[in-house]
Amino acid sequence: MGKVVLIKFTDKKGNYKLMYEWCSNKYIYEWFEQRKLSYDEIEDKYKNKLFGENQDLFFIEYNNIKIGFVQIYKYDDDKKGKLTKYDNIYEYDIFIGEKDYLSKGIGSISIKYINNYIYNKYMADCIVLRPFKRNNRAIRCYQKNGFRIIDEYDDYDTVGNEEIIVLMIKEKED
């Protein structure tokens, strides 16, 4: 298999253009934004994340080709519930943007790499993911990579549609 690395997302037009191209595909925006964003919306959104929010943004590179994106951030949800025993919880959102790299196991390789990165860089106790319950493909991939479902709750997507969210966790392995 190939090699995965994370490349820091920077404030360059080409980076916003690539994000716009990826986020214009239904298989991305269905899960990530729930609607197609304009180029200006993409640029504004990721500039705000890059300069204003406490998130680290990366391109996922596979064999020296940018194929996807991940944003990593500290979990700070008030719905901590079953997670109270953890002090340092991180979460991420991920997608493979290049269609030719879907269903080839590269998502799993990327998830393993990102998990190790988070445990080593941020000293996380556990990692949380929160996909929509109807996103079976993502849930299966996460379960295959050691995440387990610990809860479900009702919430809203980015355009206000009601969704069931699956709370998944992967604890740091000693």
Side-chain angles (χ1 to χ4, degrees):
M1 218 60 199
K3 182 179 177 185
V4 168
V5 295
L6 298 181
I7 304 298
K8 195 85 167 146
F9 184 98
T10 58
D11 186 34
K12 293 183 181 172
K13 285 284 182 197
N15 289 342
Y16 300 116
K17 183 178 183 291
L18 184 56
M19 288 298 287
Y20 173 72
E21 289 170 10
W22 286 341
C23 291
S24 294
N25 293 310
K26 185 171 181 5
Y27 71 92
I28 299 294
Y29 71 73
E30 175 180 10
W31 307 115
F32 215 68
E33 287 297 335
Q34 294 78 60
R35 69 179 181 91
K36 187 175 174 181
L37 300 178
S38 70
Y39 176 85
D40 289 340
E41 287 174 311
I42 291 286
E43 187 172 350
D44 287 347
K45 176 182 178 175
Y46 289 98
K47 272 190 182 187
N48 287 335
K49 288 179 180 287
L50 193 59
F51 296 116
E53 298 180 23
N54 294 324
Q55 295 186 23
D56 289 333
L57 310 177
F58 299 95
F59 284 114
I60 300 166
E61 195 174 86
Y62 179 75
N63 290 341
N64 300 314
I65 298 168
K66 290 178 183 172
I67 62 154
F69 175 79
V70 63
Q71 55 190 21
I72 301 169
Y73 45 96
K74 187 139 174 101
Y75 180 83
D76 64 355
D77 197 322
D78 292 338
K79 298 177 181 129
K80 205 167 177 185
K82 298 180 180 185
L83 301 172
T84 54
K85 72 177 188 173
Y86 303 103
D87 294 321
N88 197 23
I89 306 169
Y90 273 79
E91 181 174 7
Y92 61 88
D93 303 311
I94 181 175
F95 66 77
I96 302 298
E98 293 295 329
K99 199 168 197 164
D100 292 344
Y101 291 85
L102 295 173
S103 301
K104 296 187 181 337
I106 298 166
S108 287
I109 294 169
S110 300
I111 286 168
K112 287 175 186 160
Y113 183 91
I114 292 163
N115 292 346
N116 287 332
Y117 181 87
I118 291 170
Y119 289 130
N120 292 324
K121 179 172 182 184
Y122 306 104
M123 305 305 288
D125 299 322
C126 69
I127 300 170
V128 166
L129 299 175
R130 294 187 282 178
F132 297 145
K133 184 174 183 172
R134 62 186 176 85
N135 192 345
N136 296 318
R137 180 183 187 148
I139 291 169
R140 278 193 313 272
C141 181
Y142 302 148
Q143 287 174 320
K144 188 169 84 174
N145 286 283
F147 285 87
R148 60 186 171 81
I149 297 171
I150 61 167
D151 201 5
E152 293 180 3
Y153 60 92
D154 294 331
D155 207 344
Y156 296 92
D157 67 15
T158 61
V159 295
N161 298 316
E162 219 172 312
E163 288 282 355
I164 299 171
I165 306 298
V166 176
L167 181 62
M168 304 182 78
I169 185 173
K170 179 169 178 40
E171 296 170 303
K172 184 175 183 177
E173 299 168 3
D174 292 326

